[in-house]
């Protein structure tokens, strides 16, 4: 569903993403890890078509994000780390607007919005303007908006930051459920326990290069660490950092 | 449904809610805005009317002068609208969260571009209607036009504001697509430098021999000659002014012709703009967000360009005696941030560049050859222009400073230097910057007008006091009425200083600044002209009255600086971060 082919993004002398190739299957939950400045956000910007690659290409559901952006983005639901929301709208109004931008009909928007507001416990704040929401409530609304058009690919950047335990639990359940139903989830996160708990496969990016990819067991084998994902992550990123220096 | 139409509807709904919130939450703010708008319209109408009546007294030339005034007015507006569209457009197209969000949705990039150009055009042009309204009303009443004249002029203004919006968008999207940000900075600086150098080199005073006998004719000739650039038939401002003049004279078909010329050019500009947006916007956006260098393939553009990193300024500040290390750090941080934000300093360059051009041009109209009363009057006007520009800029740039620190308050608020020092640093920095610019302009203006030494000292001293007064008002009210959002909204709040200014605090800051500068200029005018009226220019008491007036100005300025700053310092000491 997501096909990344020899993707490279250079910012002058800096190679932010270096010859990245990766395929994420339909219904797969893929966690994308890496230290700060590894190139995760740049990769996500390339996946959503916000940036043009220096080389390589990204296919979403077979559509090249650069040459057929509308068809590719129609399949994507994207949640950035600091989502943009219209402060002076109410949640339902915001969802209606997003649904219209995705070309959904009014009936479907109303039906889906109602269900999502209930799932994310937003129905109790639906009469309030978004400007009064806490960070966690904003995050829940942002993911509701991303799920509204029932996307085939869900791309999420640091979703769990700012969510309370109940919100985190709801979010994990929804994502797991969506992946089971066939949605491809691409989650960039620093919270290793979330990746360990939810992901079918994990990719580790370091200095723009994909240094490891596989299941938990495969990563453990590759790193030589027996313990938790944290040990594997530290071993893999340390090794590459030392090699680079 | 059309995407632009959907965005317009949703923004319209939010705008209605903002207006309703202002009415509900702050009746004081709504009242201040209403009084200010009504005051400008009434004052503007009577001011323009008095000017038109004055011109009507010039025998045989009233129509020529009035027409020329319109050509110059619309010419000036066209230039300002274009600059305004470029500045607002850059932020809206390339630095805006909504733009980024829309580009991740199945929305065509050209639709995002069209929406942002429309939004920019509205933001940049509403003030034009606000400013031009009383003038058109006064002009219509003086010309005794029928009511439908106003309706036709309202329609005429639509293509007139569309043209600079399209032109500004094409320039910005083209520059962002093809010029590296640092090259763009250099181009802006070079163009500014060329404009000033051109004005200094090419603008020469005319020979005004014999002006004593035919002084009025010489002045009129000079004005008409000097403003000839505004009556070039290829300028959009010429078309709009010609339409207004023709319709006011009852020449319907001539007015209609120029309206159609304007309309067809606006439509063509729209086509060019959308084509440019379709070709360059997405590429430009991607480039603007791809940090570091890029290569265009054109050797001239690919040459490594390094802007000065202000190292000399850093060293200069480090060498200044008596500054605490924390204050030095704050000054260097503020200067660096200002220098690295092109949208901020380019507005300074434009405003004070235009004012500088005007001052350099004083010799063009040979004001220095007139009697002292007239030269003093021109100097007072210059003081007014410099302080009004300064009031606009302190409200626009200095007022939002404390609100902009909102996200960083965790750092500054708990640092041992404290917020008190932060506020005082902003006052001194703003005042020093304002003094450096306005004092230069004022000294230049007095020198070019060949005013006596005591007047140079008087006006220079006043502008220094006003720099402190206006900075004190802006820093003080900025801390008293910050726009930092509530709760989580503070994290997601508006980072655009232009929008922070549009709140209650910004409006209050501008109104207080305006009252302060009107008060100061009023006192100065009274001190300068009262002796002229009652005692004659050579009276011995004159200097005494001027000194007394200046001391009152000094007192008012100290109050304007100290009172808001004391209140603000008290507030930040008890501020819960």
């Amino acid at each position: 569903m997501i096909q990344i082919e020899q993707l490279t993004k250079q910012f002058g002398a800096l190679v932010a993403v270096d010859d990245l190739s990766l395929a994420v299957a339909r219904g797969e939950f893929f966690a994308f890890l890496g230290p700060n400045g590894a190139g995760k956000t740049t990769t996500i910007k390339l996946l959503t078509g916000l940036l043009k690659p220096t080389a390589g290409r990204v296919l979403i559901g077979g559509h090249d994000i650069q040459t057929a952006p509308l068809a590719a983005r129609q399949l994507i639901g994207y949640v950035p780390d600091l989502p943009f929301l219209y402060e002076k709208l109410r949640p339902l109004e915001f969802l209606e607007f997003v649904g219209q931008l995705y070309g959904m009909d009014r009936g479907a928007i109303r039906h889906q919005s109602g269900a999502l507001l209930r799932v994310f416990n937003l129905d109790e704040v639906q009469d309030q303007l978004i400007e009064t929401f806490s960070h966690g409530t904003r995050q829940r609304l942002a993911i509701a908006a991303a799920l509204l058009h029932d996307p085939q690919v869900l791309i999420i950047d640091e979703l769990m930051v700012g969510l309370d335990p109940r919100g985190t639990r709801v979010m994990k359940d929804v994502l797991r459920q969506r992946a089971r139903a066939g949605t491809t989830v691409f989650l960039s996160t620093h919270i290793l326990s979330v990746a360990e708990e939810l992901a079918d496969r994990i990719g580790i990016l370091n200095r723009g290069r994909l240094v490891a990819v596989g299941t938990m067991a495969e990563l453990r084998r590759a790193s030589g660490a027996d313990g938790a994902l944290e040990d594997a992550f530290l071993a893999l990123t340390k090794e590459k950092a030392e090699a680079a220096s | 449904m059309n995407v632009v139409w959907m965005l317009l509807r949703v923004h319209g709904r939010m705008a209605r809610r903002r207006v309703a919130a202002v009415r509900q939450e702050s009746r004081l703010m709504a009242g201040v805005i209403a009084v200010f708008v009504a005051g400008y319209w009434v004052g503007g109408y009577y001011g323009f009317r008095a000017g038109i009546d004055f011109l009507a007294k010039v025998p045989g030339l009233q129509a020529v002068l009035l027409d020329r005034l319109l050509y110059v007015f619309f010419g000036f507006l066209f230039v300002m609208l274009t600059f305004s569209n470029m500045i607002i457009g850059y932020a809206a197209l390339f630095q805006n969260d909504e733009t980024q969000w829309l580009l991740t949705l199945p929305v065509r990039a050209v639709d995002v571009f069209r929406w942002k150009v429309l939004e920019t055009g509205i933001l940049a042009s509403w003030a034009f209607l606000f400013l031009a309204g009383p003038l058109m009303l006064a002009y219509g009443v003086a010309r005794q036009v029928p009511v439908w004249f106003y309706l036709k002029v309202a329609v005429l203004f639509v293509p007139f504001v569309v043209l600079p919006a399209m032109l500004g968008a094409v320039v910005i999207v083209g520059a962002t697509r093809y010029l590296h940000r640092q090259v763009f900075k250099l181009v802006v600086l070079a163009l500014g430098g060329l404009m000033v150098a051109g004005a200094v080199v090419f603008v020469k005073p005319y020979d005004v021999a014999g002006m004593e006998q035919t002084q009025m004719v010489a002045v009129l000739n000079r004005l008409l000659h000097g403003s000839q650039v505004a009556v070039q038939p290829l300028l959009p401002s010429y078309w709009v002014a010609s339409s207004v003049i023709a319709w006011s004279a009852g020449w319907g078909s001539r007015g209609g012709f120029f309206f159609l010329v304007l309309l067809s050019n606006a439509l063509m500009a729209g086509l060019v703009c959308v084509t440019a947006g379709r070709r360059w916007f997405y590429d430009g956006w991607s480039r603007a967000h791809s940090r570091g260098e890029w290569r265009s393939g054109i050797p001239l553009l690919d040459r490594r360009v390094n802007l000065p990193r202000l190292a000399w300024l850093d060293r200069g500040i480090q060498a200044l005696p008596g500054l605490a290390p924390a204050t030095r750090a704050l000054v260097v941080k503020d200067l660096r941030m200002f220098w690295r934000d092109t949208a901020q300093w380019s507005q300074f360059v434009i405003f004070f560049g235009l004012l500088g051009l005007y001052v350099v041009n004083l010799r063009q109209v040979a004001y220095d050859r007139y009697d002292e009363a007239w030269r003093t009057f021109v100097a007072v006007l210059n003081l007014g222009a410099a302080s009004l520009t300064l009031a606009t800029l302190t409200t626009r740039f200095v007022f939002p400073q404390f609100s902009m620190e909102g996200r960083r308050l965790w750092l500054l608020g708990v640092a041992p230097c404290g917020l008190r020092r932060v506020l005082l640093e902003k006052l001194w920095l703003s005042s020093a910057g304002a003094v450096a610019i306005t004092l230069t302009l004022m000294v230049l203006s007095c020198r070019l007008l060949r005013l006596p030494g005591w007047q140079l000292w008087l006006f220079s001293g006043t502008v220094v006091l006003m720099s402190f007064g206006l900075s004190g008002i802006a820093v003080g009210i900025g801390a008293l009425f910050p726009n930092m959002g509530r709760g989580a909204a503070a994290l997601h709040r508006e980072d655009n200083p232009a929008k922070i200014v549009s709140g209650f605090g910004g409006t209050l800051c501008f109104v207080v600044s305006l009252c302060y500068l009107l008060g100061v200029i009023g006192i100065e005018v009274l001190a300068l002209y009262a002796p002229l009226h009652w005692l004659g220019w050579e009276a011995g008491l004159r200097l005494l009255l001027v000194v007394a007036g200046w001391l009152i100005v000094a007192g008012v300025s100290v109050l304007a600086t100290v009172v808001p700053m004391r209140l603000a310092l008290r507030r930040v000491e008890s501020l819960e971060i």
Side-chain angles (χ1 to χ4, degrees):
Chain A
M1 185 53 71
I2 301 175
Q3 189 77 32
I4 302 172
E5 296 174 359
Q6 294 173 311
L7 193 67
T8 299
K9 180 67 183 176
Q10 275 181 271
F11 297 129
L14 175 77
V15 185
V17 178
D18 190 3
D19 198 27
L20 174 67
S21 292
L22 180 71
V24 185
R26 182 180 153 82
E28 185 177 358
F29 198 121
F30 188 84
F32 200 47
L33 310 179
N36 292 331
K40 298 190 298 296
T41 300
T42 303
T43 305
I44 285 184
K45 284 185 173 174
L46 292 163
L47 287 184
T48 52
L50 275 173
L51 290 180
K52 286 182 91 162
T54 310
R57 63 175 186 163
V58 173
L59 302 175
I60 304 287
H63 305 288
D64 189 323
I65 193 76
Q66 288 299 320
T67 56
L70 297 192
R73 284 183 194 142
Q74 190 70 45
L75 304 177
I76 298 176
Y78 170 50
V79 189
D81 52 349
L82 278 178
F84 173 81
L85 302 167
Y86 291 99
E87 303 285 323
K88 290 284 178 192
L89 291 187
R90 298 190 176 94
L92 195 58
E93 292 168 340
F94 179 66
L95 292 179
E96 274 174 3
F97 175 63
V98 173
Q100 287 171 356
L101 289 177
Y102 277 94
M104 295 169 69
D105 67 65
R106 284 190 175 279
I109 293 175
R110 218 162 290 153
H111 176 259
Q112 285 279 73
S113 300
L116 287 165
L117 288 179
R118 275 192 301 280
V119 168
F120 289 104
N121 295 321
L122 290 165
D123 44 356
E124 56 204 37
V125 291
Q126 63 177 315
D127 292 328
Q128 294 176 23
L129 294 180
I130 293 170
E131 67 182 1
T132 63
F133 286 6
S134 67
H135 182 63
T137 313
R138 284 163 185 269
Q139 290 283 52
R140 282 184 278 144
L141 179 59
I143 187 131
L147 292 171
L148 186 70
H149 65 291
D150 203 8
Q152 293 183 34
V153 175
L154 195 55
I155 299 173
I156 305 168
D157 196 358
E158 290 296 348
L159 178 67
M160 309 300 176
V161 177
L163 287 177
D164 60 18
R166 185 177 298 277
T168 307
R169 180 58 181 266
V170 170
M171 207 64 80
K172 283 179 188 171
D173 290 346
V174 170
L175 294 181
R176 209 180 271 133
Q177 206 177 349
R178 289 278 170 164
R180 247 183 257 133
T183 303
T184 303
V185 181
F186 189 96
L187 174 73
S188 163
T189 183
H190 280 298
I191 306 174
L192 301 183
S193 60
V194 171
E196 199 168 0
E197 184 186 342
L198 296 176
D200 300 315
R201 275 197 310 152
I202 296 167
I204 298 177
L205 197 71
N206 193 27
R207 294 170 185 258
R209 294 193 75 91
L210 192 65
V211 294
V213 64
T215 60
M216 254 320 289
E218 287 167 343
L219 288 185
R220 275 197 201 102
R221 267 200 303 278
S223 63
D226 289 336
L229 176 60
E230 187 178 34
D231 299 321
F233 176 83
L234 291 175
L236 286 163
T237 51
K238 185 184 170 197
E239 207 170 274
K240 298 294 170 183
E242 279 170 358
S245 60
Chain B
M1 203 190 295
N2 182 294
V3 171
V4 177
W5 176 240
M6 281 196 284
L7 284 159
L8 195 61
R9 274 183 45 186
V10 86
H11 278 268
R13 178 185 280 179
M14 290 195 292
R16 283 196 299 277
R17 283 192 180 146
R18 272 190 205 103
V19 172
V22 168
R23 280 209 309 256
Q24 283 166 7
E25 287 172 18
S26 174
R27 287 183 187 280
L28 178 63
M29 180 179 175
V32 167
I33 293 170
V35 167
F36 188 65
V37 169
Y40 171 73
W41 270 68
V42 173
Y45 170 75
Y46 283 107
F48 285 127
R49 192 66 216 273
I52 290 169
D53 288 348
F54 173 76
L55 290 179
K57 288 176 193 157
V58 182
L61 283 171
Q62 64 269 45
V64 176
L65 285 176
L66 192 52
D67 290 356
R68 185 58 63 89
L69 194 70
L70 278 190
Y71 285 115
V72 172
F73 176 74
F74 285 114
F76 183 71
L77 272 180
F78 187 79
V79 174
M80 293 305 286
L81 279 172
T82 307
F83 276 121
S84 181
N85 273 287
M86 283 165 60
I87 291 162
I88 297 174
Y90 181 76
L93 286 166
F94 300 106
Q95 295 181 328
N96 181 268
D97 289 342
E98 186 192 28
T99 307
Q100 173 160 339
W101 176 67
L102 288 171
L103 286 173
T104 65
L105 303 178
V107 175
R108 292 184 309 164
V110 69
D111 286 335
V112 180
F113 175 77
R114 282 164 61 205
W115 158 244
K116 285 294 161 188
V117 172
L118 177 66
E119 188 189 36
T120 299
I122 293 169
L123 274 173
S125 312
W126 70 267
F128 157 70
L129 296 173
F130 181 68
L131 288 172
L135 173 65
M136 284 297 99
L137 199 62
Y139 181 79
V141 171
R143 285 279 174 110
Q144 297 173 322
V145 296
V147 177
W148 49 261
F149 166 81
Y150 300 107
L151 296 174
K152 287 204 289 192
V153 166
V155 175
L156 177 71
F157 282 174
V158 175
F160 181 63
V161 296
V162 165
L163 258 173
M166 300 297 135
L167 186 64
V170 169
V171 170
I172 280 301
V173 81
T176 312
R177 168 64 182 81
Y178 287 106
L179 290 183
H180 187 273
R181 197 173 51 202
Q182 292 192 326
V183 179
F184 181 67
K185 273 187 183 180
L186 274 188
V187 169
V188 171
L189 277 179
L191 282 178
L194 276 177
M195 275 172 71
V196 173
V200 172
V201 173
F202 295 110
V203 175
K204 302 284 185 199
Y206 297 111
D207 179 14
V208 288
M211 199 179 73
E212 286 75 15
Q213 288 79 30
T214 53
Q215 197 177 43
M216 185 60 111
V217 177
V219 171
L220 293 176
N221 268 338
R222 205 155 310 288
L223 278 173
L224 292 173
H225 193 89
S227 59
Q228 255 180 343
V229 68
V231 288
Q232 299 303 316
L234 291 177
L235 289 176
S237 54
Y238 175 86
W239 307 329
V240 75
S242 297
S243 255
V244 170
I245 292 162
W247 279 336
S248 71
W251 304 328
S253 55
R254 183 177 161 81
F257 167 76
F258 281 112
F259 168 67
L260 290 175
V261 171
L262 195 62
L263 182 66
S264 55
N265 276 277
L267 291 171
M268 184 64 198
L271 188 66
V272 171
C273 182
V274 173
T275 307
R278 186 172 288 125
R279 285 171 179 236
W280 298 335
F281 172 56
Y282 174 64
D283 281 359
W285 201 94
S286 182
R287 281 195 193 288
H289 290 260
S290 298
R291 299 157 296 165
E293 298 169 21
W294 60 276
R295 304 223 160 257
S296 63
I298 305 166
L300 184 68
L301 292 181
D302 286 345
R303 288 182 65 181
R304 189 175 175 82
V305 180
N306 283 322
L307 274 189
R309 288 183 176 271
L310 296 187
W312 56 273
L313 200 58
D314 287 10
R315 280 198 297 274
I317 288 160
Q318 299 301 338
L320 275 178
L323 275 184
T327 308
R328 276 182 221 277
L330 287 166
V331 171
V332 170
K333 186 261 303 176
D334 279 345
L335 288 175
R336 278 186 180 145
M337 288 180 71
F338 182 74
W339 172 243
R340 285 168 191 173
D341 189 347
T342 317
Q344 301 268 335
W345 58 259
S346 61
Q347 293 180 58
F348 258 83
V349 171
I350 290 165
F351 277 100
F352 281 109
L354 287 172
L355 209 59
L357 278 180
Y358 156 73
V359 169
V360 170
N361 266 297
L362 281 172
R363 286 260 166 101
Q364 165 89 347
V365 281
Y367 282 140
D368 55 313
R369 316 280 176 99
Y370 290 67
D371 62 35
E372 194 191 332
W374 180 250
R375 283 184 282 144
T376 306
F377 177 65
V378 174
V380 171
L381 286 182
N382 292 349
L383 178 69
S387 53
L388 185 62
T389 309
L390 187 60
T392 314
L393 293 176
T394 50
T395 304
R396 171 69 180 74
F397 296 105
V398 181
F399 167 81
Q401 287 281 313
F402 190 76
S403 299
M404 301 274 285
E405 298 284 11
R407 284 187 195 176
R408 296 179 284 270
L409 275 184
W410 65 269
L411 176 70
L412 297 174
V414 299
C417 67
L419 288 174
R420 196 183 160 80
R421 191 188 292 269
V422 173
L423 276 195
L424 289 171
E425 177 269 336
K426 289 196 185 302
L427 171 72
W428 282 105
L429 189 61
S430 162
S431 304
V435 166
I437 299 168
T438 53
L439 188 61
T440 308
L441 286 174
M442 214 57 232
V443 170
L444 198 62
S445 142
C446 290
R447 284 270 175 220
L448 290 171
L449 287 167
R450 294 186 185 151
L451 288 176
W454 67 269
Q455 287 202 19
L456 188 145
W457 282 104
L458 172 78
F459 289 121
S460 302
T462 307
V463 93
V464 169
L465 287 171
M466 290 178 89
S467 297
F468 276 90
L470 290 170
S471 298
I473 290 169
V475 175
I477 295 180
L480 287 168
F481 297 95
N483 182 356
M484 292 195 273
R486 286 170 290 178
L491 190 62
H492 299 264
R493 79 193 161 81
E494 186 56 64
D495 242 350
N496 184 351
K499 291 195 177 171
I500 293 172
V501 171
S502 64
F504 172 71
T507 313
L508 184 71
C509 178
F510 188 61
V511 171
V512 172
S513 302
L514 217 54
C515 292
Y516 162 69
L517 79 87
L518 284 175
V520 165
I521 301 227
I523 295 166
E524 206 109 296
V525 166
L526 210 63
L528 280 165
Y529 283 91
L532 172 69
H533 196 72
W534 291 302
L535 310 168
W537 278 104
E538 302 307 324
L541 276 176
R542 186 179 174 207
L543 201 61
L544 196 65
L545 274 175
V546 168
V547 170
W550 192 84
L551 286 175
I552 296 173
V553 164
V556 171
S557 299
V558 169
L559 283 178
T561 313
V562 170
V563 172
M565 282 303 295
R566 280 193 86 100
L567 292 172
L569 289 171
R570 208 174 297 165
R571 183 177 189 288
V572 296
E573 275 166 9
S574 58
L575 187 70
E576 291 178 354
I577 299 165

